[in-house]
Amino acid sequence: MNTPDRNTPSSSVLHNRSFLRLWIARIFSTSAFQMLSVAIGWQMYALTGSAYQLGLVGLAQFLPMLLLTLPAGQTADRYDRRTIVFLCQLTECLIVLLLVLGSIEGWLSAVHLLAAAAVLGACRTFESPASAALVPDIVDREQLPKAAAWSASAMQTAMIVGPSLGGVLVVWGTAAAYIASLAALLVSTVLIFFVKTVHFVKKLDAVSMDTFLSGLQFVFARKIILGTISLDLFAVLLGGATALLPIFAEDILKTDSLGLGLLRSAPAVGAIIVSLILTRYSVERAIGRMLFASLVVFALATMLFGISRSFWLSLFALVLIGGSDVVSVVIRSTLVQVNTPQEMQGRVNAVNSLFIGTSNQLGEFESGTMAGLVGAVPATVIGGVGTLIITVLWMYRFFPVLRTQKTYTAEEI
């Protein structure tokens, strides 16, 4: 076991050098994936002009996640999590290098883009639970709520920087965006190499069907965790307006690639503002009420974005979407980390990653398919209405206990 990497008071989680390296690495790696998302989406729509093909990019990322999530959780509990993240990011660098070469030489097709999205999705499937489980490995338990808020701020910072850079760089060609993504991934890989774990407990039990499914069993046995992550899953699944941004940018708002980058970064502007607030002020006295209130705002903002014909009003709606969504991100991740034994962090975070991936990648497929059937505007408005219905059902019908939950520590066995 490595020695602790702390030399300052524990009250500030950023004083932990390993957490700081992980935090910065997440900014670079997530920025890279946001740039890739802009570049791949822009290139796919330029090649095909099809909303269905945009949806297929999300499906290509989701299918590996669906198939590999449980093995990824087992891997994160049996092997060094830092090494898993490091190797995944090296593989991602190789894939992005191929995208760079394909764009420069002009041989990239829609099939190549879908294949790259699938491999990147597989890498992220193994990387995400290992990276999430690294946080309890390197910070103390009492620091986890603050660490979750800082982690969310890192993700949202990247979601501002990444789409904006991606939108600017594709003006000079998608190869420029791919090159910038590759550079960011390389920086992240180096930082991850120097992270030191403190609390990791290696799982040595033999692999069996029980251990394979234990993450799912753990989540489904705890209504507070299940209610939170399933609510977020269905809300984002139905309210995935961001998947249709290339269509809104080009066909409805009549803006260019820079405008697309601004639209892509707008949710992160709201999210980083809220996440930074949450690093200073806790919602632990009323996490249930805060969760449902944020989802109502998310649904209404999604509908506002759908009906807007003003670029600036659309930006405002997207800021509201991002700010409200990050509340559930912080609540969900903190609940999982606080209420999960150290030796099961990988498997449980893998299930959590599956829910996140389902809401994001499958949500992109659902949004693209719905837009192809009824149009982007009706699809977005329908999604917002569906999110509002799901929120009410979870609040009063399926998980009423979540409505009155105040603290991150679940009392249920």
Side-chain angles (χ1 to χ4, degrees):
M1 183 178 294
N2 294 313
T3 57
D5 195 17
R6 303 178 178 85
N7 56 9
T8 49
S10 61
S11 58
S12 177
V13 70
L14 289 185
H15 289 162
N16 181 322
R17 290 195 300 272
S18 282
F19 180 79
L20 181 61
R21 291 173 190 135
L22 177 63
W23 186 74
I24 297 173
R26 284 181 170 176
I27 293 177
F28 277 95
S29 63
T30 306
S31 294
F33 274 90
Q34 291 302 310
M35 284 188 281
L36 287 171
S37 180
V38 171
I40 291 175
W42 188 266
Q43 194 167 26
M44 178 65 79
Y45 198 60
L47 287 172
T48 66
S50 170
Y52 291 107
Q53 292 289 344
L54 279 177
L56 285 177
V57 173
L59 184 62
Q61 292 176 302
F62 170 72
L63 288 178
M65 182 176 297
L66 181 64
L67 296 173
L68 299 174
T69 288
L70 295 181
Q74 282 279 345
T75 302
D77 281 337
R78 297 184 67 84
Y79 302 100
D80 181 68
R81 292 158 181 165
R82 181 192 63 88
T83 302
I84 295 170
V85 176
F86 179 77
L87 293 176
C88 287
Q89 292 193 356
L90 279 181
T91 305
E92 291 156 12
C93 288
L94 177 61
I95 298 303
V96 178
L97 178 60
L98 292 175
L99 288 174
V100 171
L101 296 175
S103 293
I104 293 175
E105 297 176 2
W107 51 260
L108 276 183
S109 67
V111 173
H112 292 125
L113 293 176
L114 290 175
V119 177
L120 289 171
C123 290
R124 293 289 279 183
T125 299
F126 280 89
E127 179 186 342
S128 294
S131 179
L134 261 179
V135 176
D137 285 351
I138 60 182
V139 305
D140 294 327
R141 184 181 180 89
E142 61 269 17
Q143 292 180 315
L144 287 176
K146 298 296 185 185
W150 277 112
S151 296
S153 74
M155 300 290 286
Q156 305 309 325
T157 298
M159 292 180 72
I160 296 173
V161 175
S164 300
L165 281 177
V168 171
L169 290 170
V170 295
V171 173
W172 288 279
T174 52
Y178 291 142
I179 290 170
S181 300
L182 177 59
L185 279 172
L186 288 171
V187 171
S188 178
T189 303
V190 172
L191 287 169
I192 290 296
F193 182 80
F194 289 102
V195 167
K196 296 180 181 179
T197 58
V198 178
H199 304 298
F200 176 60
V201 178
K202 187 174 181 179
K203 184 71 175 176
L204 297 176
D205 292 350
V207 176
S208 65
M209 186 56 67
D210 286 341
T211 60
F212 197 68
L213 298 176
S214 56
L216 282 171
Q217 293 168 348
F218 183 91
V219 169
F220 277 85
R222 287 153 178 80
K223 290 184 178 180
I224 295 298
I225 297 178
L226 178 61
T228 302
I229 63 178
S230 61
L231 175 62
D232 186 71
L233 183 156
F234 286 107
V236 179
L237 176 66
L238 293 171
T242 55
L244 304 177
L245 286 181
I247 300 174
F248 273 92
E250 184 168 329
D251 299 338
I252 297 172
L253 299 175
K254 307 297 183 182
T255 187
D256 54 14
S257 61
L258 178 58
L260 174 62
L262 292 174
L263 290 170
R264 288 296 300 261
S265 63
V269 172
I272 193 171
I273 292 171
V274 174
S275 62
L276 289 176
I277 292 173
L278 293 176
T279 65
R280 298 182 61 84
Y281 303 100
S282 174
V283 298
E284 191 164 359
R285 293 187 180 91
I287 65 172
R289 292 200 304 270
M290 288 294 295
L291 179 63
F292 285 113
S294 69
L295 264 296
V296 170
V297 174
F298 180 88
L300 295 176
T302 298
M303 289 184 275
L304 176 62
F305 175 77
I307 64 176
S308 170
R309 295 299 178 271
S310 164
F311 180 79
W312 298 108
L313 181 59
S314 296
L315 281 179
F316 174 71
L318 289 170
V319 168
L320 289 180
I321 287 173
S324 56
D325 183 52
V326 80
V327 175
S328 66
V329 171
V330 171
I331 290 175
R332 181 189 63 240
S333 58
T334 306
L335 275 171
V336 169
Q337 291 173 350
V338 168
N339 294 284
T340 302
Q342 191 69 18
E343 67 275 9
M344 287 189 63
Q345 285 281 341
R347 282 164 288 174
V348 175
N349 274 290
V351 175
N352 190 30
S353 295
L354 177 61
F355 277 76
I356 296 171
T358 299
S359 62
N360 292 333
Q361 276 73 52
L362 194 57
E364 290 181 11
F365 175 69
E366 179 273 334
S367 296
T369 301
M370 182 66 72
L373 292 173
V374 301
V377 171
T380 302
V381 174
I382 291 170
V385 173
T387 299
L388 201 57
I389 293 172
I390 289 293
T391 301
V392 173
L393 288 175
W394 257 239
M395 189 187 304
Y396 293 106
R397 178 66 178 89
F398 297 121
F399 295 96
V401 65
L402 184 57
R403 189 177 71 250
T404 58
Q405 183 71 16
K406 294 182 179 180
T407 66
Y408 285 117
T409 302
E411 297 180 358
E412 56 194 352
I413 302 299

